């Protein structure tokens, strides 16, 4: 297939609209909707791996449409009633099929590649210094999925040249994708009704929730084998001229699926794995972050050391000695493992991710005195009372005359009640002798580290024995 013929096909056919659809619709989703993909350390432009996973997660919408688009494109000859005429030409069938299939595949690959390029440019502009290679196969497999789906749709439409074939394929792929949802990003259980092995046949990835998680090499290999089989079956259906050839065309997809099931990991924990290079610690004195977030270390280190000094003055020997980024994997809503010796930092936590300078010191002090058991988000599993207690603790340790809120006080009744309780606890705490104040604050910290359910104001109000 010469470049001149391919250019003509692209110029005179609807193939380029497939790439325009992928690029335009994806950017509309990412840029025009204020979704969770803009927030936290796993935002779609925060790191390379999260960018690749977010763009690939959109295949849940685009893959069925691409299969339908391929089927619609494959009906071109039957709609124009040129099938018999083309069969009489001396040109080999595979060459006739390669032209429209190559044009559509190129358009889809370019459209998705430009989407990845837009995300990659924003990742670079965001200042990250960590460049893993693991994001490349994530995006390459996504591109292969789009190409294989389109060619498969073309082949099915060539074998079944009916007007209902494209919508029927879209519905069938949507239903199948719904059953074969990817395992969740926590890697603990498949978020589908199918076993993990079958779930991995779907090219759709879960929304990234953990910064250090990526797909394993066996997952990439297994999905590549399956998608190559799907691509082979689609192309074989395009060139098949007899019923026997159409029956033999299913061999590649069956062989690809069989090989994939031998390679794909059986357990969800082996599907999403920790990026060990990204999880390696980078330290500046007592302050350590992961390699992924090493660009945050210059801003965190001085504030972390200042926070440790304040905590030593407030807690004495019971104060934490190091600041370390939290790298433990857990499900949503699961408590994180807290220790009295370490002040954990989670950049996905709302207060921590947005703080800089002296405000960051205040947030670190609040986490040292009343650590959040929930992580990831200051409201996940917690409430306004947690923010109020943390604000009170930080203000006490920093010697403020009144409570300085870590976030603006809200006006709703629940928020007013929480802050009124905090003001009452502040008045009662500051009226006590300094030694008793330290004892109350030590009780508050022990209760917070234990993650035991209960009223966070109990220790401050001296009601622990009740």
């Amino acid at each position: 297939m010469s470049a001149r013929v391919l250019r003509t096909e692209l110029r005179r056919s609807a193939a380029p609209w497939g790439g325009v659809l992928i690029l335009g619709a994806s950017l509309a989703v990412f840029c025009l909707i204020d979704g969770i993909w803009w927030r936290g350390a796993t935002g779609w432009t925060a790191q390379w791996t999260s960018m690749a996973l977010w763009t690939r997660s959109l295949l849940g919408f685009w893959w069925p449409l691409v299969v339908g688009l391929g089927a619609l494109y494959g009906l071109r000859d039957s709609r124009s009633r040129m099938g018999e005429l083309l069969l009489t030409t001396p040109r080999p069938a595979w060459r006739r099929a390669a032209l429209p299939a190559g044009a559509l595949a190129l358009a889809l690959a370019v459209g998705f590649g430009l989407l990845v390029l837009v995300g990659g440019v924003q990742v670079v502009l965001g200042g990250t210094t960590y460049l893993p290679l693991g994001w490349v196969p994530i995006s390459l497999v996504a591109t292969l999925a789009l190409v294989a789906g389109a060619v498969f749709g073309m082949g099915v439409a060539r074998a079944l040249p009916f007007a209902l074939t494209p919508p029927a394929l879209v519905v069938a792929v949507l239903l199948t994708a719904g059953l074969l949802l990817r395992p969740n990003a926590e890697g603990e259980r498949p978020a589908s009704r199918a076993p993990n092995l079958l779930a991995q046949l779907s090219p759709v990835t879960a929304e990234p929730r953990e910064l250090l998680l990526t797909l394993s090499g066996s997952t990439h290999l297994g999905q590549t084998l399956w998608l190559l089989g799907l691509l082979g079956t689609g192309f074989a259906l395009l060139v098949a001229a007899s019923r026997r050839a159409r029956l033999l065309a299913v061999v590649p997809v069956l062989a690809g699926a069989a090989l994939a099931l031998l390679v794909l990991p059986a357990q969800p924990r082996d599907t999403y794995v920790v990026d060990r290079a990204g999880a390696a610690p980078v330290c500046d004195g007592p302050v350590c972050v992961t390699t992924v977030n090493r660009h945050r270390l210059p801003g965190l280190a001085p504030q972390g050391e200042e926070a440790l000094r304040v905590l030593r003055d407030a807690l004495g020997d019971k104060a934490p000695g190091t600041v370390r980024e939290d790298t433990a994997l857990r499900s949503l809503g699961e408590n994180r493992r807290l220790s009295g010796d370490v002040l954990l930092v989670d950049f996905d936590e709302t207060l921590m991710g947005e703080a800089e300078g002296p405000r960051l010191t205040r947030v670190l002090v609040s986490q040292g005195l009343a650590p959040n058991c929930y992580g990831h988000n200051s409201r996940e599993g917690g409430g306004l009372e947690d923010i109020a207690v943390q604000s009170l603790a930080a203000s006490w340790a920093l010697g403020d005359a009144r409570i300085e809120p870590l976030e603006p006080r809200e006006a709703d009744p629940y928020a007013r009640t929480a802050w009124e309780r905090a003001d009452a606890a502040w008045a009662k705490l500051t009226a006590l002798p300094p030694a008793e104040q330290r004892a109350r604050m030590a009780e508050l910290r022990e209760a917070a580290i234990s993650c035991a359910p209960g009223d966070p104001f109990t220790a401050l109000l001296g009601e622990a024995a009740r």
Side-chain angles (χ1 to χ4, degrees):
M1 181 170 52
S2 67
R4 178 179 60 82
V5 177
L6 181 59
R7 284 198 303 269
T8 302
E9 176 72 16
L10 288 170
R11 188 170 61 251
R12 297 183 178 180
S13 72
W17 288 105
V20 173
L21 171 67
I22 295 297
L23 176 61
S26 298
L27 289 179
V29 170
F30 282 136
C31 299
L32 300 182
I33 301 176
D34 184 19
I36 59 174
W37 44 82
W38 282 113
R39 297 184 177 90
T42 55
W44 89 282
T45 59
Q47 294 289 342
W48 289 99
T49 300
S50 58
M51 181 274 296
L53 289 173
W54 272 115
T55 52
R56 185 165 158 181
S57 69
L58 290 182
L59 293 188
F61 302 102
W62 308 148
W63 203 47
L65 293 179
V66 164
V67 174
L69 178 64
L72 191 63
Y73 199 60
L75 291 176
R76 183 176 63 173
D77 292 346
S78 64
R79 286 200 310 267
S80 60
R81 300 180 180 179
M82 294 180 56
E84 293 184 3
L85 176 62
L86 292 174
L87 288 175
T88 62
T89 61
R91 195 176 187 185
W94 69 268
R95 296 190 67 179
R96 291 197 309 270
L99 179 60
L104 183 56
L106 179 61
L108 292 172
V110 170
F112 188 78
L114 289 176
L115 172 65
V116 172
L117 178 62
V118 171
V121 169
Q122 294 188 74
V123 171
V124 172
L125 295 178
T128 182
T129 57
Y130 180 59
L131 179 58
L133 296 178
W135 73 271
V136 177
I138 297 175
S139 296
L140 289 179
V141 172
T143 305
L144 177 59
L146 292 173
V147 172
V151 175
F152 178 75
M154 291 179 67
V156 172
R158 184 68 61 86
L160 302 171
F162 307 115
L164 291 179
T165 298
L169 271 178
V170 172
V171 172
V173 175
L174 273 174
L175 292 176
T176 304
L179 293 174
L180 300 181
L181 290 175
R182 300 288 295 119
N184 63 21
E186 285 76 32
E188 291 194 344
R189 58 190 181 280
S192 71
R193 300 177 183 177
N196 186 60
L197 276 175
L198 293 180
Q200 291 172 93
L201 296 180
S202 169
V204 185
T205 56
E207 298 172 354
R209 300 282 186 180
E210 294 279 359
L211 178 64
L212 298 174
L213 284 183
T214 186
L215 291 174
S216 64
S218 57
T219 302
H220 295 314
L221 178 58
Q223 291 180 337
T224 300
L225 292 172
W226 146 248
L227 292 171
L228 286 176
L230 189 67
L231 176 63
T233 289
F235 193 77
L237 288 173
L238 274 176
V239 302
S242 64
R243 180 177 298 180
R244 182 172 180 272
R246 294 189 185 100
L247 290 175
L248 291 176
V250 302
V251 172
V253 69
L254 294 178
L259 291 175
L261 293 177
L262 293 175
V263 174
L264 291 170
Q267 300 299 323
R269 280 288 187 186
D270 298 323
T271 301
Y272 285 93
V273 296
V274 174
D275 179 2
R276 298 190 180 278
V282 179
C283 299
D284 183 352
V287 181
C288 297
V289 297
T290 60
T291 302
V292 174
N293 282 319
R294 62 187 175 194
H295 62 287
R296 296 177 179 265
L297 187 58
L300 178 65
Q303 308 303 327
E305 293 182 3
E306 175 63 16
L308 291 177
R309 184 193 63 78
V310 172
L311 291 171
R312 281 195 299 272
D313 292 341
L315 299 172
D317 295 339
K318 295 183 178 180
T322 60
V323 177
R324 178 173 56 82
E325 183 177 352
D326 186 8
T327 59
L329 302 180
R330 57 189 181 276
S331 300
L332 291 176
E334 180 184 356
N335 288 343
R336 56 181 170 183
R337 305 175 188 89
L338 297 176
S339 169
D341 300 328
V342 178
L343 197 166
L344 289 180
V345 171
D346 188 346
F347 294 112
D348 265 338
E349 193 175 1
T350 304
L351 295 177
M352 192 72 67
E354 299 174 354
E356 295 179 350
R359 176 174 169 78
L360 178 57
T361 302
R362 181 174 294 273
V363 172
L364 290 170
V365 171
S366 73
Q367 286 290 334
L369 290 172
N372 185 353
C373 292
Y374 312 103
H376 297 304
N377 190 294
S378 59
R379 299 292 175 81
E380 182 190 323
L384 285 168
E385 288 187 344
D386 297 305
I387 299 297
V389 168
Q390 288 181 334
S391 301
L392 183 154
S395 297
W396 174 82
L398 292 170
D400 297 331
R402 57 185 177 84
I403 299 177
E404 295 291 338
L406 292 173
E407 63 178 26
R409 298 193 182 199
E410 299 179 15
D412 62 88
Y414 178 69
R416 284 200 303 270
T417 300
W419 287 109
E420 286 172 0
R421 295 194 67 197
D423 291 334
W426 174 265
K428 187 171 183 179
L429 177 69
T430 54
L432 296 173
E436 181 64 20
Q437 293 182 31
R438 293 192 193 90
R440 294 282 178 89
M441 201 58 62
E443 292 177 10
L444 169 66
R445 184 167 185 265
E446 290 178 3
I449 291 175
S450 68
C451 293
D455 186 354
F457 289 102
T458 298
L460 293 175
L461 295 173
E463 301 171 352
R466 298 181 185 179

